[in-house]
Amino acid sequence: MSAAGWMLVAAPVAALVVLTRVLRPRRDRIAPLRLAVVRAALTTGVFAVLAVEVLGAARALTLPALAAAWLLFLVAVAAGARLGRGRAAVHRSAAVPTARREALVGAGASTTDPPGHTGPVPASLPDSDAAGAAVPASARGGVASALAGWTARLADFRRTAGRGERLLAGTVLGVVLVELLVALLAEPNNFDSQTYHLPKVEHWVAQHSLEFWPTAIHRQVTIPPGAEYLLLHLRLFTGGDALHNLVQWAAGIGCLLAATRITAQLGGGRRAQLLTAFLVATTPMVALQATSTQTDLVAAAWAGCAATLALDGLRHRAGLGAVLALGAATGLTALTKTSGLIAVGPMLVLWGVAQLRLAFRPVPTDGGPADDDHVPGVRRSPRPAGGVLRTVAGSLLVLLVAALVVGPFLARVTAEFGHPLGPPRLRESIPMERHDPLSILVNALRIGHTAFDTPLAPLRAGTAEAIMDGSRAVGVDPQDRAITFGREVFPVPAWYPDEDRVAFPLAGSLALLGAVFALARPARISPGGPGPLRAYAVTMVVAVGLHTAMIKWQPWGNRLLLYALVLAVPLAGLWLDALFRRRPAPGRRPVAAGLAVAVLATAALSGVLALSYGFPRRLVGAGSVFTTAEWDTRFLRRPQWAEEFRWAAEAVRASDARRIGLAQQNDNWEYPWWLLLRDADGRSPELVALQSVLPDRPPAAPASVDAIVCTGPRAACLKLVPTGWRLEYRGYVGYALPPAS
């Protein structure tokens, strides 16, 4: 990648950093730094999406246009930050001395103290943001102050943290850094990415727009493209896919920030937040997806942003900024993976109910603090009508912002297929087609069995047999196509650390226990906020229930549940922290705490094993990112195809073909052709589909191309080859060329 490419990649990062400072809350909020990062990520994400949509509509999805957009955005963000600092300085210079003088005089103190004296400083701040230490106001500005702040927080953590907390934090940091290493070293090799995630990015680059194209793989145009929009920026900036894995890695960081902030909002202290981060980071599915080009972690991160913003609404009346952020999180979730809305929807309902409840609370009439009902001497007057109207308007604005983000894509899908959810094939393959209680129960049991799978084969076989026998006993076929994806057959082993299937029995079981205790005894888990904790637990139970009622069982369904796991783990962190707080009676051993430590140790081991031996990117063994060649890494899922693709591409390139036809089926790999058939200067090849599942976009005629490349059965390819052409085949891959003139 060129120096200019590195500078362009740095532009979104720089914008995120500056926005984090600009969007830090002025009023007291729990974990303000993490909240600022959430707001900054949402702002940057919305800009990235809208930039793609606008440039795509203008058929200007090119490197110069996108680079100009990001540079303008960065300039605007920097100008906003400068303007904000200027206003803040004026406000401080005008208001702080007056307020301080009034306070000192009111207390009988002298107003001739030395400049800069502000009275005693507390030894440490609350545990809202890494137990951060105070930073002098004079140092709050620029990179130096940021480094000083982080250094102070780290020093405070080292001074106050116990051995267990240090071990938890060190494990999380180590896992994140190893994931970063793997993400940078490994080439994209996810199966779905070869089929449709990355090919759709290449189509956008080739045609400079988001317009749909004829294709035999409907998922290239029907599946929400939010994560791929982010990949598109990196593709244009770098000219390749070397940094593609970093999108999911960054999303993993976002999941950690959102989950730990949710824990803090529900009353968890530093240890509870570290336990939450530990469980999220060591979950094999998270560890494996954080180094891939899948999309589930991106969806989970946006859903986590929506959840933590919604929880803010339980204590504070939402202002315009909070409403806009919540709408952005909702829209980004919908644009990335619509299943994430199954959790975001209940969170929005919780937020709306809480806002209505706050609307009927007494409010200050003299500018006093709106969230403090116990300030003496403050007259209050209820204004429920205005509060209700404000809540309704805020709810509508949330939906409007979400529609602005996801609306253009849905409009294209509706125009193409007559339905915003795509063609009937898509609408009927994944969603449940039966909704009677017994069918939903059977579906839930099968989803739970796959999610909690373990290496213990007798346990897996016994529980699966019990589910199938019970299903038949109540009159539900456990393999019913109406509740089962495609032609898949329940059960399947899901314990092996594969990014598409791996189960999460430890984190899932702890989250389930945390939810049970949060519902039954919330005051024991969060003495300071049992109400919000119970409400959040109810919301998560509703979300999981909706998932099992709406999504069919499928072998890779665990990754579709990743958003729910990330949002539920805070309940596990809170429950474990409460368990460790309990002191056993004299003479009794802390058996429960000992078992919890053993479970955490096992979780750490599972996370390490997933990074070390997980598939298809691992540190050691066959297929290691250190010892496997680049091209072979891309084909670790199907190593026998690596040379077949190269063989066919070399023959086509030798023929000097310019317009190349694609013959493939719905689940075939297309992305290798985009890599192998590029021009010498890196320009995209002209690849056109010879089959199309889009009714209004006919495929190219075989006679109109210079060569044909095929994947899948030879017989299917032969039907598309013009008479007289020479067809060569090797296993999965083939090519056809016209007769020599």
Side-chain angles (χ1 to χ4, degrees):
M1 183 171 59
S2 65
W6 280 111
M7 292 177 63
L8 291 173
V9 170
V13 179
L16 180 68
V17 172
V18 176
L19 282 170
T20 298
R21 185 169 185 81
V22 172
L23 299 176
R24 185 151 182 161
R26 293 185 176 89
R27 292 191 298 170
D28 182 37
R29 287 291 188 271
I30 296 173
L33 180 57
R34 277 169 279 178
L35 175 57
V37 174
V38 166
R39 292 173 172 177
L42 291 171
T43 305
T44 307
V46 168
F47 173 79
V49 166
L50 295 182
V52 169
E53 289 288 357
V54 171
L55 294 177
R59 303 188 67 84
L61 277 176
T62 61
L63 174 59
L66 198 62
W70 273 108
L71 293 178
L72 288 174
F73 179 68
L74 186 58
V75 169
V77 168
R82 187 178 183 87
L83 180 62
R85 285 198 299 269
R87 289 179 176 177
V90 171
H91 177 75
R92 284 195 300 269
S93 62
V96 172
T98 303
R100 179 175 173 271
R101 185 178 298 109
E102 290 175 352
L104 291 173
V105 171
S110 170
T111 60
T112 59
D113 293 326
H117 176 75
T118 57
V121 178
S124 64
L125 297 177
D127 187 45
S128 58
D129 244 324
V135 180
S138 59
R140 294 175 187 169
V143 177
S145 68
L147 293 176
W150 282 108
T151 302
R153 289 187 177 93
L154 180 60
D156 183 75
F157 178 80
R158 294 180 61 182
R159 183 177 66 255
T160 60
R163 181 181 303 175
E165 292 179 338
R166 294 182 183 182
L167 185 59
L168 291 171
T171 302
V172 173
L173 179 61
V175 167
V176 168
L177 292 178
V178 172
E179 290 170 354
L180 176 60
L181 176 66
V182 175
L184 290 172
L185 291 178
E187 286 71 31
N189 59 1
N190 173 264
F191 194 103
D192 285 347
S193 296
Q194 307 279 10
T195 300
Y196 68 97
H197 289 311
L198 300 185
K200 72 169 66 173
V201 174
E202 296 300 327
H203 278 286
W204 295 333
V205 172
Q207 64 189 24
H208 307 312
S209 75
L210 302 177
E211 183 181 359
F212 290 166
W213 53 91
T215 178
I217 304 173
H218 76 84
R219 291 174 294 173
Q220 290 183 358
V221 296
T222 58
I223 298 294
E228 291 89 339
Y229 280 1
L230 305 181
L231 292 175
L232 175 61
H233 293 267
L234 293 178
R235 168 65 177 85
L236 287 173
F237 288 163
T238 66
D241 58 16
L243 300 183
H244 277 12
N245 292 333
L246 293 185
V247 170
Q248 281 261 109
W249 179 81
I253 301 296
C255 289
L256 291 174
L257 294 176
T260 53
R261 185 167 189 267
I262 289 170
T263 305
Q265 290 171 290
L266 297 176
R270 183 170 64 190
R271 183 172 60 186
Q273 296 172 52
L274 287 172
L275 286 167
T276 298
F278 177 87
L279 289 174
V280 172
T282 57
T283 298
M285 178 70 77
V286 175
L288 291 170
Q289 286 225 11
T291 63
S292 83
T293 47
Q294 263 293 8
T295 62
D296 303 284
L297 266 183
V298 179
W302 295 136
C305 292
T308 190
L309 292 171
L311 284 178
D312 278 338
L314 270 63
R315 294 182 174 87
H316 306 278
R317 293 290 290 158
L320 178 60
V323 171
L324 294 176
L326 192 55
T330 303
L332 290 170
T333 302
L335 187 64
T336 304
K337 215 173 189 72
T338 50
S339 57
L341 293 177
I342 296 175
V344 173
M347 291 303 305
L348 291 178
V349 173
L350 177 63
W351 175 84
V353 171
Q355 290 292 291
L356 287 174
R357 181 179 61 86
L358 291 174
F360 285 90
R361 276 189 173 183
V363 296
T365 59
D366 58 354
D371 299 306
D372 185 359
D373 293 332
H374 305 288
V375 178
V378 177
R379 295 185 299 104
R380 301 180 181 277
S381 173
R383 295 185 302 178
V388 171
L389 183 61
R390 177 179 171 183
T391 301
V392 172
S395 301
L396 293 176
L397 185 56
V398 167
L399 298 179
L400 180 62
V401 173
L404 177 66
V405 175
V406 73
F409 168 71
L410 294 181
R412 288 192 297 274
V413 173
T414 303
E416 191 72 36
F417 300 103
H419 196 286
L421 298 181
R425 179 178 184 178
L426 178 64
R427 302 198 304 270
E428 296 169 1
S429 61
I430 297 177
M432 286 275 285
E433 297 177 79
R434 290 181 56 178
H435 297 92
D436 56 283
L438 291 178
S439 295
I440 294 174
L441 175 61
V442 171
N443 194 53
L445 291 174
R446 295 182 307 162
I447 290 176
H449 179 274
T450 305
F452 291 88
D453 191 23
T454 70
L456 303 175
L459 177 62
R460 179 191 316 119
T463 52
E465 192 64 32
I467 291 173
M468 290 190 290
D469 290 343
S471 173
R472 297 187 188 99
V474 298
V476 178
D477 180 2
Q479 314 299 348
D480 186 354
R481 297 302 103 189
I483 61 174
T484 305
F485 179 85
R487 300 178 181 178
E488 306 300 329
V489 177
F490 172 85
V492 295
W495 63 269
Y496 184 78
D498 183 299
E499 66 174 353
D500 287 334
R501 296 194 180 194
V502 62
F504 33 81
L506 296 176
S509 297
L510 292 173
L512 180 61
L513 288 171
V516 170
F517 282 94
L519 292 172
R521 298 179 177 179
R524 284 194 177 185
I525 298 178
S526 178
L533 175 61
R534 177 175 280 169
Y536 186 79
V538 169
T539 304
M540 290 312 305
V541 170
V542 170
V544 173
L546 288 174
H547 185 99
T548 60
M550 298 173 67
I551 306 295
K552 293 178 179 177
W553 175 88
Q554 49 193 284
W556 42 88
N558 288 343
R559 65 181 181 83
L560 301 184
L561 267 174
L562 192 56
Y563 73 93
L565 178 72
V566 170
L567 296 187
V569 164
L571 299 174
L574 289 162
W575 174 66
L576 287 172
D577 181 58
L579 191 65
F580 291 135
R581 286 200 310 264
R582 293 178 58 186
R583 296 184 178 181
R588 288 189 176 184
R589 295 181 178 180
V591 177
L595 290 174
V597 170
V599 170
L600 292 175
T602 307
L605 178 62
S606 66
V608 171
L609 290 176
L611 285 173
S612 301
Y613 297 98
F615 197 75
R617 292 166 302 280
R618 56 176 50 167
L619 293 173
V620 297
S624 167
V625 296
F626 296 114
T627 60
T628 308
E630 172 195 347
W631 191 248
D632 294 332
T633 300
R634 297 180 183 276
F635 286 85
L636 282 176
R637 286 208 177 270
R638 298 292 186 272
Q640 68 275 19
W641 295 349
E643 286 307 314
E644 295 177 6
F645 270 98
R646 195 194 299 271
W647 159 77
E650 288 176 353
V652 171
R653 289 176 65 88
S655 72
D656 292 327
R658 302 302 303 169
R659 180 177 167 89
I660 303 167
L662 293 172
Q664 56 194 7
Q665 288 75 51
N666 184 56
D667 206 30
N668 290 174
W669 285 20
E670 180 182 313
Y671 186 58
W673 299 127
W674 290 97
L675 298 175
L676 290 167
L677 298 174
R678 284 182 184 172
D679 292 342
D681 59 1
R683 289 186 302 175
S684 299
E686 185 181 0
L687 297 179
V688 295
L690 301 182
Q691 309 122 295
S692 179
V693 294
L694 278 67
D696 297 328
R697 298 185 185 273
S704 69
V705 300
D706 304 321
I708 297 174
V709 291
C710 310
T711 51
R714 186 180 190 276
C717 180
L718 186 60
K719 295 178 181 179
L720 298 169
V721 176
T723 303
W725 284 38
R726 175 171 56 93
L727 175 63
E728 300 287 343
Y729 234 89
R730 284 188 184 178
Y732 176 76
V733 178
Y735 70 89
L737 295 174
S741 56

